[in-house]
Amino acid sequence: MTYEEVMQELERLGNEQTKMTFIRHGAMEPLFGVKIGDLKKLVKSVKKDQELALKLFESKNSDAMYLAGLTVNPRTMSKEMLQHWVKQAYWYMTAEYTVANVAAESPFARELALEWIESAVEMTATCGWSVYANYISITRDEQLDLDEIGNLLKRVQSTIHSEQNRVRYTMNAFVMTTGIYVAELREEALAVGESIGTVHVDVGNTACKVPIAAEYIEKAVSMGKAGVKKKTCIC
């Protein structure tokens, strides 16, 4: 498919109800309002053409940008390109999913996660926490820096309630991810989760809720899902 054909198909797949839902969550024009399930139908066609995937991200169309994240090869992404992408991530779906997922599977995952976490820009910082969480979920424990992750857990415990809105959300997710995927740090993550308790995030005019980290970890453990690494975090 050509760029024009993909954009035409996205327009065809879009619907006003989904568009308005995305806008309530923080998206802005341009977008068509394409459901994620429908975006995945285009992955096979676009994935063969990395130049096309990059061009879709540059369109500024939110649907096309998300599709780019599903189709680009993260192993071929340069650090400079990922830095460029995170600057374009103006709302949480692009920051916490599109850019974060691709960066987590790139050769620069940990490096960029640590850099972005320190950013004063909300969407960059929230992306950084999401990158590190995703990196944990797909990386064998023996390859992880457990001391570093432990220090990040302590940071969450002491600062989460004073952080920017979406940063609070992904910090909470970082605690849950650590507790679920890193056996050696599970008890520490549970303790942090219990300490931080309810994390308040303004989710706008939506029905979204913020999970209680300790409860979420315990549920994953009881269901036998703890410790099972994911093959990919791109979804």
Side-chain angles (χ1 to χ4, degrees), residues 40-54:
K40 291 181 178 179
K41 296 175 183 178
L42 296 174
V43 168
K44 187 177 293 185
S45 299
V46 178
K47 204 167 188 178
K48 299 175 183 177
D49 189 339
Q50 293 299 289
E51 288 188 14
L52 174 56
L54 294 174

Side-chain angles (χ1 to χ4, degrees), residues 5-199:
E5 289 170 337
V6 174
M7 295 302 288
Q8 288 170 7
E9 183 64 6
L10 289 174
E11 185 173 11
R12 186 186 72 80
L13 291 169
N15 69 78
E16 195 64 23
Q17 183 176 354
T18 302
K19 180 177 179 177
M20 294 312 298
T21 297
F22 287 161
I23 288 175
R24 284 197 299 273
H25 280 258
M28 296 185 292
E29 296 280 5
L31 77 161
F32 300 121
V34 184
K35 295 178 181 178
I36 305 303
D38 287 333
L39 287 175
K40 291 181 178 179
K41 296 175 183 178
L42 296 174
V43 168
K44 187 177 293 185
S45 299
V46 178
K47 204 167 188 178
K48 299 175 183 177
D49 189 339
Q50 293 299 289
E51 288 188 14
L52 174 56
L54 294 174
K55 189 173 181 180
L56 288 170
F57 192 89
E58 294 303 317
S59 71
K60 311 299 183 185
N61 179 290
S62 185
D63 303 301
M65 293 171 80
Y66 199 100
L67 179 58
L70 294 175
T71 54
V72 77
N73 181 353
R75 305 302 300 177
T76 65
M77 290 287 281
S78 68
K79 184 164 63 174
E80 292 72 24
M81 182 59 73
L82 290 166
Q83 296 280 27
H84 171 68
W85 273 31
V86 80
K87 290 177 182 178
Q88 314 308 311
Y90 70 87
W91 75 299
Y92 78 85
M93 274 190 67
T94 311
E96 296 170 19
Y97 295 93
T98 302
V99 180
N101 292 350
V102 172
E105 294 195 19
S106 78
F108 315 102
R110 178 175 159 272
E111 175 186 352
L112 289 178
L114 292 172
E115 177 185 330
W116 292 346
I117 281 171
E118 301 300 332
S119 176
V121 178
E122 181 182 8
M123 286 300 112
T124 301
T126 195
C127 182
W129 284 102
S130 189
V131 172
Y132 211 129
N134 283 324
Y135 171 67
I136 287 172
S137 75
I138 61 173
T139 305
R140 294 196 303 271
D141 286 358
E142 58 267 26
Q143 294 179 310
L144 296 171
D145 186 332
L146 300 186
D147 289 337
E148 180 174 85
I149 297 170
N151 287 332
L152 288 172
L153 286 174
K154 291 181 178 69
R155 175 172 175 170
V156 172
Q157 184 176 21
S158 62
T159 69
I160 187 169
H161 296 297
S162 61
E163 288 286 352
Q164 296 182 81
N165 192 54
R166 288 305 303 189
V167 180
R168 295 196 295 273
Y169 188 90
T170 46
M171 276 183 150
N172 189 61
F174 178 85
V175 175
M176 295 187 293
T177 301
T178 301
I180 293 169
Y181 291 102
V182 187
E184 192 171 332
L185 294 175
R186 185 161 301 136
E187 291 305 315
E188 186 173 345
L190 275 168
V192 171
E194 290 170 356
S195 174
I196 64 178
T198 300
V199 177

